Short mmCIF file of all heavy atoms in Angstrom, two decimals:
data_model
loop_
_atom_site.label_atom_id
_atom_site.label_comp_id
_atom_site.label_asym_id
_atom_site.label_seq_id
_atom_site.Cartn_x
_atom_site.Cartn_y
_atom_site.Cartn_z
N ALA A 1383 -2.11 26.36 7.65
CA ALA A 1383 -3.11 25.92 6.70
C ALA A 1383 -2.81 24.69 5.98
O ALA A 1383 -1.60 24.54 5.56
CB ALA A 1383 -3.44 27.02 5.77
N ILE A 1384 -3.72 23.84 5.93
CA ILE A 1384 -3.44 22.53 5.28
C ILE A 1384 -4.46 22.38 4.03
O ILE A 1384 -5.72 22.51 4.32
CB ILE A 1384 -3.56 21.34 6.09
CG1 ILE A 1384 -2.56 21.35 7.23
CG2 ILE A 1384 -3.40 19.99 5.39
CD1 ILE A 1384 -2.87 20.56 8.54
N GLY A 1385 -4.05 22.19 2.86
CA GLY A 1385 -5.04 22.11 1.73
C GLY A 1385 -5.50 20.66 1.45
O GLY A 1385 -4.86 20.01 0.84
N LEU A 1386 -6.57 20.32 2.11
CA LEU A 1386 -7.12 18.95 1.85
C LEU A 1386 -7.67 18.84 0.47
O LEU A 1386 -8.43 19.68 -0.13
CB LEU A 1386 -8.30 18.75 2.80
CG LEU A 1386 -9.00 17.38 2.63
CD1 LEU A 1386 -8.09 16.22 2.94
CD2 LEU A 1386 -10.21 17.30 3.56
N LYS A 1387 -7.09 17.88 -0.29
CA LYS A 1387 -7.39 17.69 -1.73
C LYS A 1387 -8.39 16.60 -1.88
O LYS A 1387 -9.33 16.72 -2.69
CB LYS A 1387 -6.15 17.37 -2.54
CG LYS A 1387 -6.32 17.23 -4.07
CD LYS A 1387 -5.09 16.92 -4.76
CE LYS A 1387 -5.27 16.61 -6.13
NZ LYS A 1387 -5.86 17.68 -6.96
N ASP A 1388 -8.21 15.43 -1.10
CA ASP A 1388 -9.14 14.27 -1.33
C ASP A 1388 -9.08 13.44 -0.07
O ASP A 1388 -8.13 13.49 0.65
CB ASP A 1388 -8.74 13.47 -2.54
CG ASP A 1388 -9.97 12.68 -3.05
OD1 ASP A 1388 -11.01 12.80 -2.43
OD2 ASP A 1388 -9.76 12.04 -4.09
N TYR A 1389 -10.13 12.69 0.05
CA TYR A 1389 -10.26 11.88 1.34
C TYR A 1389 -11.00 10.57 0.82
O TYR A 1389 -11.99 10.64 0.13
CB TYR A 1389 -11.01 12.53 2.46
CG TYR A 1389 -11.48 11.66 3.56
CD1 TYR A 1389 -10.53 11.10 4.54
CD2 TYR A 1389 -12.85 11.37 3.70
CE1 TYR A 1389 -11.09 10.34 5.48
CE2 TYR A 1389 -13.34 10.68 4.68
CZ TYR A 1389 -12.44 10.07 5.66
OH TYR A 1389 -12.90 9.30 6.63
N GLN A 1390 -10.55 9.41 1.37
CA GLN A 1390 -11.18 8.18 0.96
C GLN A 1390 -11.11 7.20 2.19
O GLN A 1390 -10.16 7.15 2.92
CB GLN A 1390 -10.35 7.56 -0.19
CG GLN A 1390 -10.86 6.31 -0.64
CD GLN A 1390 -9.97 5.83 -1.77
OE1 GLN A 1390 -10.08 6.35 -2.99
NE2 GLN A 1390 -9.10 4.94 -1.54
N LEU A 1391 -12.23 6.58 2.49
CA LEU A 1391 -12.39 5.52 3.49
C LEU A 1391 -12.85 4.29 2.93
O LEU A 1391 -13.91 4.26 2.17
CB LEU A 1391 -13.25 6.18 4.57
CG LEU A 1391 -13.43 5.28 5.86
CD1 LEU A 1391 -12.21 5.20 6.66
CD2 LEU A 1391 -14.58 5.93 6.67
N LYS A 1392 -12.25 3.19 3.38
CA LYS A 1392 -12.74 1.81 2.95
C LYS A 1392 -12.62 0.76 4.10
O LYS A 1392 -11.69 1.09 5.00
CB LYS A 1392 -12.07 1.42 1.67
CG LYS A 1392 -10.62 0.99 1.89
CD LYS A 1392 -10.03 0.38 0.62
CE LYS A 1392 -8.58 -0.08 0.86
NZ LYS A 1392 -7.98 -0.67 -0.34
N ALA A 1393 -13.31 -0.35 3.96
CA ALA A 1393 -13.10 -1.36 4.89
C ALA A 1393 -12.09 -2.33 4.29
O ALA A 1393 -12.29 -2.65 3.10
CB ALA A 1393 -14.43 -2.04 5.27
N ILE A 1394 -11.20 -2.84 5.10
CA ILE A 1394 -10.20 -3.90 4.65
C ILE A 1394 -10.97 -5.19 4.27
O ILE A 1394 -10.76 -5.89 3.31
CB ILE A 1394 -9.16 -4.16 5.70
CG1 ILE A 1394 -8.27 -2.89 5.81
CG2 ILE A 1394 -8.28 -5.39 5.25
CD1 ILE A 1394 -7.58 -2.42 4.58
N THR A 1395 -11.81 -5.55 5.24
CA THR A 1395 -12.66 -6.77 5.04
C THR A 1395 -14.17 -6.43 5.26
O THR A 1395 -14.52 -5.36 5.64
CB THR A 1395 -12.28 -7.91 6.03
OG1 THR A 1395 -12.23 -7.38 7.35
CG2 THR A 1395 -10.81 -8.40 5.60
N ALA A 1396 -15.03 -7.41 5.30
CA ALA A 1396 -16.41 -7.24 5.55
C ALA A 1396 -16.77 -7.29 7.04
O ALA A 1396 -15.96 -7.81 7.79
CB ALA A 1396 -17.30 -8.29 4.75
N GLY A 1397 -17.89 -6.88 7.36
CA GLY A 1397 -18.38 -6.96 8.76
C GLY A 1397 -18.44 -5.70 9.55
O GLY A 1397 -17.74 -4.76 9.21
N GLU A 1398 -19.28 -5.65 10.56
CA GLU A 1398 -19.35 -4.36 11.36
C GLU A 1398 -18.15 -4.06 12.18
O GLU A 1398 -17.95 -2.90 12.51
CB GLU A 1398 -20.60 -4.49 12.30
CG GLU A 1398 -20.46 -5.62 13.32
CD GLU A 1398 -21.70 -5.72 14.13
OE1 GLU A 1398 -22.69 -5.21 13.74
OE2 GLU A 1398 -21.56 -6.37 15.25
N ASP A 1399 -17.26 -5.01 12.38
CA ASP A 1399 -16.05 -4.82 13.15
C ASP A 1399 -14.76 -4.71 12.25
O ASP A 1399 -13.72 -4.91 12.59
CB ASP A 1399 -15.76 -5.86 14.20
CG ASP A 1399 -15.70 -7.26 13.62
OD1 ASP A 1399 -15.96 -7.47 12.42
OD2 ASP A 1399 -15.38 -8.15 14.33
N ALA A 1400 -15.05 -4.39 10.92
CA ALA A 1400 -13.98 -4.39 9.94
C ALA A 1400 -12.91 -3.40 10.24
O ALA A 1400 -13.21 -2.38 10.77
CB ALA A 1400 -14.50 -4.13 8.57
N LEU A 1401 -11.76 -3.67 9.90
CA LEU A 1401 -10.63 -2.81 9.99
C LEU A 1401 -10.79 -1.66 8.95
O LEU A 1401 -10.94 -1.94 7.69
CB LEU A 1401 -9.33 -3.44 9.84
CG LEU A 1401 -7.97 -2.76 10.12
CD1 LEU A 1401 -7.87 -2.29 11.61
CD2 LEU A 1401 -6.75 -3.66 9.72
N GLY A 1402 -10.75 -0.41 9.25
CA GLY A 1402 -10.96 0.72 8.29
C GLY A 1402 -9.60 1.26 7.90
O GLY A 1402 -8.63 1.38 8.71
N GLU A 1403 -9.50 1.51 6.69
CA GLU A 1403 -8.34 2.20 6.07
C GLU A 1403 -8.69 3.47 5.43
O GLU A 1403 -9.53 3.61 4.58
CB GLU A 1403 -7.71 1.35 4.97
CG GLU A 1403 -6.48 1.89 4.29
CD GLU A 1403 -5.98 1.01 3.19
OE1 GLU A 1403 -6.63 0.91 2.19
OE2 GLU A 1403 -4.83 0.47 3.32
N ALA A 1404 -8.10 4.51 6.01
CA ALA A 1404 -8.39 5.96 5.42
C ALA A 1404 -7.11 6.32 4.59
O ALA A 1404 -6.07 6.10 5.06
CB ALA A 1404 -8.71 6.96 6.54
N THR A 1405 -7.45 7.04 3.56
CA THR A 1405 -6.35 7.66 2.84
C THR A 1405 -6.68 9.23 2.53
O THR A 1405 -7.85 9.51 2.22
CB THR A 1405 -6.19 6.98 1.44
OG1 THR A 1405 -6.04 5.64 1.62
CG2 THR A 1405 -5.00 7.55 0.69
N VAL A 1406 -5.65 10.02 2.74
CA VAL A 1406 -5.91 11.54 2.68
C VAL A 1406 -4.93 12.03 1.65
O VAL A 1406 -3.70 11.59 1.74
CB VAL A 1406 -5.75 12.23 4.04
CG1 VAL A 1406 -5.66 13.68 3.86
CG2 VAL A 1406 -6.98 11.77 4.89
N TRP A 1407 -5.28 13.00 0.81
CA TRP A 1407 -4.32 13.70 -0.06
C TRP A 1407 -4.40 15.10 0.31
O TRP A 1407 -5.50 15.73 0.42
CB TRP A 1407 -4.67 13.47 -1.50
CG TRP A 1407 -4.48 12.14 -2.12
CD1 TRP A 1407 -3.39 11.62 -2.70
CD2 TRP A 1407 -5.40 11.09 -1.92
NE1 TRP A 1407 -3.55 10.32 -3.13
CE2 TRP A 1407 -4.81 9.89 -2.57
CE3 TRP A 1407 -6.72 10.77 -1.36
CZ2 TRP A 1407 -5.45 8.62 -2.71
CZ3 TRP A 1407 -7.30 9.57 -1.46
CH2 TRP A 1407 -6.67 8.47 -2.08
N ILE A 1408 -3.24 15.73 0.56
CA ILE A 1408 -3.21 17.19 0.82
C ILE A 1408 -2.23 17.84 -0.33
O ILE A 1408 -1.44 17.15 -0.80
CB ILE A 1408 -2.63 17.56 2.17
CG1 ILE A 1408 -1.22 17.11 2.38
CG2 ILE A 1408 -3.60 16.97 3.28
CD1 ILE A 1408 -0.57 17.49 3.72
N GLU A 1409 -2.50 19.08 -0.57
CA GLU A 1409 -1.87 19.77 -1.56
C GLU A 1409 -1.11 20.98 -1.07
O GLU A 1409 -1.66 21.77 -0.29
CB GLU A 1409 -2.74 20.26 -2.74
CG GLU A 1409 -2.10 20.71 -3.99
CD GLU A 1409 -3.09 20.80 -5.23
OE1 GLU A 1409 -4.26 20.91 -4.92
OE2 GLU A 1409 -2.62 20.84 -6.31
N TYR A 1410 0.17 21.06 -1.60
CA TYR A 1410 0.96 22.34 -1.11
C TYR A 1410 1.90 22.75 -2.27
O TYR A 1410 2.66 21.89 -2.76
CB TYR A 1410 1.83 22.00 0.10
CG TYR A 1410 2.72 23.06 0.61
CD1 TYR A 1410 2.17 24.26 1.23
CD2 TYR A 1410 4.10 22.98 0.41
CE1 TYR A 1410 3.00 25.24 1.59
CE2 TYR A 1410 4.94 24.01 0.89
CZ TYR A 1410 4.43 25.00 1.38
OH TYR A 1410 5.21 26.09 1.86
N ASN A 1411 1.78 23.97 -2.71
CA ASN A 1411 2.61 24.56 -3.79
C ASN A 1411 2.61 23.61 -4.97
O ASN A 1411 3.74 23.45 -5.69
CB ASN A 1411 4.08 24.76 -3.29
CG ASN A 1411 4.12 26.07 -2.53
OD1 ASN A 1411 3.15 26.82 -2.53
ND2 ASN A 1411 5.27 26.25 -1.93
N GLY A 1412 1.57 23.11 -5.32
CA GLY A 1412 1.35 22.30 -6.60
C GLY A 1412 1.79 20.81 -6.39
O GLY A 1412 1.57 19.93 -7.35
N SER A 1413 2.40 20.40 -5.29
CA SER A 1413 2.71 19.02 -5.02
C SER A 1413 1.58 18.44 -4.05
O SER A 1413 1.00 19.13 -3.30
CB SER A 1413 4.03 19.05 -4.21
OG SER A 1413 5.05 19.51 -5.00
N VAL A 1414 1.40 17.13 -4.29
CA VAL A 1414 0.35 16.42 -3.50
C VAL A 1414 1.05 15.35 -2.64
O VAL A 1414 2.01 14.62 -3.13
CB VAL A 1414 -0.69 15.73 -4.51
CG1 VAL A 1414 -1.68 14.88 -3.74
CG2 VAL A 1414 -1.37 16.72 -5.32
N PHE A 1415 0.65 15.20 -1.43
CA PHE A 1415 1.16 14.26 -0.45
C PHE A 1415 -0.04 13.44 0.04
O PHE A 1415 -1.07 13.95 0.46
CB PHE A 1415 1.90 14.94 0.60
CG PHE A 1415 2.95 15.91 0.14
CD1 PHE A 1415 2.66 17.25 -0.10
CD2 PHE A 1415 4.19 15.45 -0.07
CE1 PHE A 1415 3.64 18.07 -0.50
CE2 PHE A 1415 5.24 16.21 -0.56
CZ PHE A 1415 4.95 17.64 -0.81
N ASN A 1416 0.22 12.08 0.10
CA ASN A 1416 -0.82 11.20 0.65
C ASN A 1416 -0.41 10.54 1.93
O ASN A 1416 0.73 10.37 2.18
CB ASN A 1416 -1.19 10.21 -0.33
CG ASN A 1416 -0.11 9.13 -0.60
OD1 ASN A 1416 0.92 9.35 -1.17
ND2 ASN A 1416 -0.38 7.91 -0.12
N GLY A 1417 -1.45 10.30 2.82
CA GLY A 1417 -1.25 9.73 4.08
C GLY A 1417 -2.22 8.58 4.26
O GLY A 1417 -3.33 8.62 3.70
N ARG A 1418 -1.85 7.55 5.09
CA ARG A 1418 -2.79 6.42 5.28
C ARG A 1418 -2.83 6.23 6.74
O ARG A 1418 -1.96 6.32 7.49
CB ARG A 1418 -2.08 5.24 4.56
CG ARG A 1418 -2.83 3.92 4.70
CD ARG A 1418 -2.11 2.82 3.84
NE ARG A 1418 -2.71 1.56 3.98
CZ ARG A 1418 -2.29 0.66 4.87
NH1 ARG A 1418 -1.36 0.94 5.71
NH2 ARG A 1418 -2.95 -0.60 4.99
N GLY A 1419 -4.07 5.82 7.20
CA GLY A 1419 -4.30 5.43 8.61
C GLY A 1419 -5.07 4.18 8.63
O GLY A 1419 -6.01 3.89 7.85
#
């Protein structure tokens, strides 16, 4: 089991072909860990 805490998605630049950056936060035993894609 993975405790998803938050999720965020944004475009690095403008345009329909923009590079997307996703950030995820998961929670485990009171600690929060973030990842980026």
